[in-house]
Amino acid sequence: MSTLTVADFRSQLAKYFDLVLAGEKVFIRRKNKLFTIIPVDEEEVDVAITPELEEKIEKARKEYREGKTVSLTSHEDVERYFDSM
């Protein structure tokens, strides 16, 4: 187990991430609070997508497939698009 300051952690990020991946607990002290690093699998990140957000994403994908999108490839395109609103 390692307990370190934010400055120590910042100066040796890779070292402490490697320790966590090797199974060691690393605690970072900031003021009077302790924090820890927890590795997360990519699959776990997807859990944060709510059903409502998933529905909006699927709707946007469908609109893209159907060509119901606007492509802006230059600064001028962006300016014209926003001026037209």
Side-chain angles (χ1 to χ4, degrees):
M1 180 174 79
S2 298
T3 302
L4 53 138
T5 65
V6 172
D8 291 336
F9 175 64
R10 202 174 18 229
S11 71
Q12 297 183 53
L13 285 170
K15 172 186 172 181
Y16 294 110
F17 283 127
D18 289 343
L19 287 174
V20 169
L21 290 174
E24 185 169 335
K25 291 184 180 184
V26 174
F27 294 97
I28 305 159
R29 182 175 299 282
R30 181 173 185 257
K31 300 184 181 176
N32 291 327
K33 300 280 185 184
L34 280 179
F35 300 84
T36 192
I37 305 168
I38 301 170
V40 179
D41 292 327
E42 289 289 328
E43 296 82 33
E44 293 179 62
V45 175
D46 291 339
V47 173
I49 297 178
T50 64
E52 294 82 12
L53 179 57
E54 185 64 42
E55 189 176 310
K56 288 179 181 181
I57 292 169
E58 188 50 44
K59 181 182 175 207
R61 287 178 176 154
K62 182 177 182 249
E63 289 174 356
Y64 175 78
R65 285 191 301 271
E66 294 172 353
K68 298 178 182 177
T69 60
V70 176
S71 294
L72 307 172
T73 58
S74 70
H75 177 72
E76 290 78 19
D77 289 345
V78 174
E79 290 292 325
R80 278 191 295 274
Y81 178 75
F82 283 114
D83 285 345
S84 72
M85 296 180 106

